[in-house]
Amino acid sequence: MNPTLPNKNRLKDAVNSVPVPDDLEAHLRGLIHADKLRFGALLRWRWLPKLVPAVAVAAVAVAAVSAALLTAYQFGHFRLTRGSQDAYIASVSSHLGALMRIGLRDHIHCSVFRKYPKNPPTPEEILMPTPERGVKAISPQYAGLIPIVRSLVPENYRMTLAHQCTYKGREFIHLSLMDQSNMLSLVITRKVDGESFHGADMLPALSESGIPMYQAGVQRFKITAFETSDYLVYFISDLDKQRNTDLMLALAPRVKEFLGKLEL
Amino acid sequence: MPHLNNIFRAARRMVGDGARAEDVTQEVYLQAWQSFHRFEPGTNCHAWLFKILFHCVNHDRRKWFRFPQMQESEVVTEANLVQIEPIPERLTDNDILVALDRLPADYRAIVLVVDVEEFSYREASQILSIPLGTVMSRLSRGRKLLREQLGEVARRYGIKGAGGEA
């Protein structure tokens, strides 16, 4: 005991009087060095767990994008080459009868694979010649279809093209419309070699104003068609069957009347 | 190695045995080394090591004993928080250590942290993971018990003014 120390430090002095083993520090350094070798490897990777959530989110995002791309590819989007587009058209339309196939092919060829500008063309622009091969502006002979379609289709559908095109050696009059989520086409082609829905032993699904109508569907596409003496007329959309039918029922009498005048 | 002597001596007082104190000290520095990335430079390394120490001590105590948990009133007045009573100078270091070791562990811990290591109440609260009010009530009670222990020893020695008379 050191009698000169003040009382207030006596407790501290007593605790600090306990000797510390001489080899304790050396022993500890040895332990830490050994642990450094073992733990060092783990230490280098200790940031890895922090990456796990980010990796999981990235994996989910990649899987979602892959699934979306695959679905889009299966639905015909991202078919960038002419060959793959034709292969898609052939695979989809192969499930249909020969006459229904005709209209669907042109719809997919012109409407599905086309990249549309953000702003729809004005009525004047839509009549202007197009530089695309196999496509020409709608002729004055058929231009009267445009106001008919505009007047009968709901206003939220904007007309994105009205042209005459050729696909697989066949000429079509094609009017295409779209809203935020759906695309629809009126596709008209002249009959070749006596083509007829009736002659192809097809049964009409319904009749409007005495016009027999034929229906088919494949994937997301719904088709309602009728014929005149010289033309096959298709209304193709990715609407549900009822809405597709309703629109064709509205269009058919006026379109038939218009084409009938050309046939005189 | 920083604060090694303080850590060992505090461990020695808390576990009561030299060999176990060495084991606990080793554990403290190994844990400190392995979790050094969590230490914020500029903060109190002394307090950080003591927090690890008491974590290891508690783990050691749970391993060896089943101590009943202390229950005490959180109510404490500043008047109770007087400094430790003057210790009669004729008491030996061993007398003081024996008296300290007789305190229940939770009181011994707070006396070591505040009166020996001179941490603030707030630091003691963080080191021992107890509320500030508990720090003050345990410290008051711990000092009182220590004073009583030392007073008893001093009376046995025939020292005047010992214990309650000091």
Side-chain angles (χ1 to χ4, degrees), chain A residues 7 56 67 89 113 123 127 139 145 203 206 225 247:
Chain A
N7 281 335
I89 293 171
F113 292 137
L127 293 171
S139 67
L145 285 167
L203 292 175
L206 64 155
L247 279 171

Side-chain angles (χ1 to χ4, degrees), chain B residues 23-95:
Chain B
D23 290 344
V24 168
T25 305
Q26 286 172 17
E27 190 58 32
V28 169
Y29 282 89
L30 274 178
Q31 283 194 19
W33 149 248
Q34 288 172 357
S35 57
F36 189 68
H37 59 282
R38 287 191 214 136
F39 176 68
E40 295 169 24
T43 58
N44 190 341
C45 177
H46 187 199
W48 183 63
L49 286 171
F50 263 77
K51 186 169 176 63
I52 298 173
L53 167 69
F54 281 97
H55 174 78
C56 293
V57 165
N58 287 333
H59 184 260
D60 182 80
R61 282 165 62 188
R62 278 195 296 272
K63 195 167 67 175
W64 293 94
F65 303 103
R66 287 190 175 277
F67 281 95
Q69 290 294 309
M70 284 277 169
Q71 297 294 328
E72 69 236 277
S73 168
E74 298 292 334
V75 179
V76 64
T77 61
E78 283 295 320
N80 288 335
L81 289 169
V82 291
Q83 281 294 315
I84 191 165
E85 284 286 312
I87 298 169
E89 292 190 10
R90 285 170 56 194
L91 292 180
T92 64
D93 288 341
N94 193 53
D95 292 331

Side-chain angles (χ1 to χ4, degrees), chain B:
Chain B
M1 199 155 286
H3 311 291
L4 176 62
N5 292 351
N6 302 50
I7 291 289
F8 173 78
R9 286 169 179 144
R12 176 77 178 79
R13 295 276 65 83
M14 288 308 300
V15 298
D17 175 86
R20 278 175 60 204
E22 283 191 47
D23 290 344
V24 168
T25 305
Q26 286 172 17
E27 190 58 32
V28 169
Y29 282 89
L30 274 178
Q31 283 194 19
W33 149 248
Q34 288 172 357
S35 57
F36 189 68
H37 59 282
R38 287 191 214 136
F39 176 68
E40 295 169 24
T43 58
N44 190 341
C45 177
H46 187 199
W48 183 63
L49 286 171
F50 263 77
K51 186 169 176 63
I52 298 173
L53 167 69
F54 281 97
H55 174 78
C56 293
V57 165
N58 287 333
H59 184 260
D60 182 80
R61 282 165 62 188
R62 278 195 296 272
K63 195 167 67 175
W64 293 94
F65 303 103
R66 287 190 175 277
F67 281 95
Q69 290 294 309
M70 284 277 169
Q71 297 294 328
E72 69 236 277
S73 168
E74 298 292 334
V75 179
V76 64
T77 61
E78 283 295 320
N80 288 335
L81 289 169
V82 291
Q83 281 294 315
I84 191 165
E85 284 286 312
I87 298 169
E89 292 190 10
R90 285 170 56 194
L91 292 180
T92 64
D93 288 341
N94 193 53
D95 292 331
I96 295 168
L97 293 178
V98 168
L100 181 61
D101 291 348
R102 281 183 183 155
L103 295 185
D106 287 339
Y107 296 134
R108 206 180 326 141
I110 195 69
V111 170
L112 275 171
V113 167
V114 176
D115 287 333
V116 177
E117 296 300 328
E118 298 182 342
F119 287 110
S120 68
Y121 294 160
R122 189 165 298 282
E123 286 169 329
S125 159
Q126 288 165 355
I127 288 168
L128 298 172
S129 302
I130 55 175
L132 204 56
T134 306
V135 168
M136 293 191 279
S137 62
R138 278 189 192 174
L139 185 60
S140 172
R141 178 85 176 127
R143 284 171 175 170
K144 184 169 180 288
L145 288 172
L146 183 60
R147 189 166 62 238
E148 287 169 2
Q149 295 275 355
L150 292 172
E152 186 63 34
V153 176
R155 272 194 296 277
R156 281 207 303 270
Y157 286 174
I159 298 170
K160 286 184 179 177
E165 301 163 27

Side-chain angles (χ1 to χ4, degrees), chain A residues 90-113:
Chain A
S91 72
V92 173
S93 60
S94 67
H95 299 286
L96 294 173
L99 287 185
M100 294 303 251
R101 191 182 301 172
I102 292 168
L104 179 61
R105 281 176 167 177
D106 190 60
H107 168 73
I108 298 175
H109 174 250
C110 285
S111 295
V112 174
F113 292 137

Side-chain angles (χ1 to χ4, degrees), chain A residues 38-61:
Chain A
R38 181 175 62 81
F39 191 66
L42 293 174
L43 207 60
R44 278 197 294 279
W45 296 99
R46 72 166 181 250
W47 49 268
L48 202 57
K50 293 177 186 169
L51 278 189
V52 168
V55 169
V57 168
V60 169

Side-chain angles (χ1 to χ4, degrees), chain A:
Chain A
M1 192 176 73
N2 187 344
T4 63
L5 286 173
N7 281 335
K8 63 180 182 180
N9 288 329
R10 286 294 289 114
L11 177 64
K12 196 172 175 179
D13 292 339
V15 171
N16 289 339
S17 70
V18 174
V20 177
D22 293 337
D23 59 347
L24 182 58
E25 180 163 355
H27 183 58
L28 272 175
R29 287 189 186 281
L31 274 177
I32 288 173
H33 182 69
D35 191 71
K36 197 175 178 179
L37 297 176
R38 181 175 62 81
F39 191 66
L42 293 174
L43 207 60
R44 278 197 294 279
W45 296 99
R46 72 166 181 250
W47 49 268
L48 202 57
K50 293 177 186 169
L51 278 189
V52 168
V55 169
V57 168
V60 169
V62 167
V65 169
S66 301
L69 288 175
L70 185 62
T71 305
Y73 187 77
Q74 285 170 339
F75 276 6
H77 305 291
F78 302 118
R79 304 278 181 144
L80 301 178
T81 65
R82 183 65 180 265
S84 67
Q85 290 178 355
D86 286 345
Y88 174 71
I89 293 171
S91 72
V92 173
S93 60
S94 67
H95 299 286
L96 294 173
L99 287 185
M100 294 303 251
R101 191 182 301 172
I102 292 168
L104 179 61
R105 281 176 167 177
D106 190 60
H107 168 73
I108 298 175
H109 174 250
C110 285
S111 295
V112 174
F113 292 137
R114 188 176 293 273
K115 300 287 179 286
Y116 291 100
K118 278 186 177 177
N119 298 316
T122 62
E124 293 76 26
E125 286 171 339
I126 214 162
L127 293 171
M128 288 172 68
T130 164
E132 287 180 68
R133 194 159 60 93
V135 177
K136 59 184 180 184
I138 197 163
S139 67
Q141 183 185 9
Y142 296 110
L145 285 167
I146 295 173
I148 291 174
V149 172
R150 282 194 196 277
S151 66
L152 294 173
V153 171
E155 286 182 358
N156 55 309
Y157 290 96
R158 55 193 174 94
M159 190 168 283
T160 50
L161 66 82
H163 67 198
Q164 287 178 238
C165 56
T166 303
Y167 183 66
K168 297 288 182 187
R170 187 161 191 149
E171 189 166 271
F172 296 89
I173 299 109
H174 187 174
L175 277 63
S176 184
L177 302 97
M178 64 193 301
D179 70 352
Q180 295 296 323
S181 52
N182 297 108
M183 185 177 287
L184 37 107
S185 284
L186 180 69
V187 175
I188 301 169
T189 185
R190 276 188 174 275
K191 288 181 176 177
V192 176
D193 298 333
E195 289 169 326
S196 168
F197 293 118
H198 181 67
D201 290 334
M202 292 177 70
L203 292 175
L206 64 155
S207 179
E208 170 67 18
S209 304
I211 308 169
M213 293 200 195
Y214 302 84
Q215 290 191 307
V218 61
Q219 288 194 4
R220 67 186 190 280
F221 303 108
K222 303 291 183 296
I223 309 164
T224 303
F226 70 90
E227 62 185 314
T228 68
S229 301
D230 292 344
Y231 295 93
L232 300 173
V233 182
Y234 303 88
F235 185 74
I236 305 145
S237 72
D238 47 14
L239 302 169
D240 60 59
K241 185 180 176 184
Q242 187 59 51
R243 291 189 66 206
N244 181 282
T245 303
D246 290 346
L247 279 171
M248 188 52 152
L249 290 177
L251 285 167
R254 295 280 304 278
V255 172
K256 186 170 193 235
E257 183 188 0
F258 179 88
L259 294 174
K261 288 177 185 170
L262 298 177
E263 291 166 351
L264 289 175

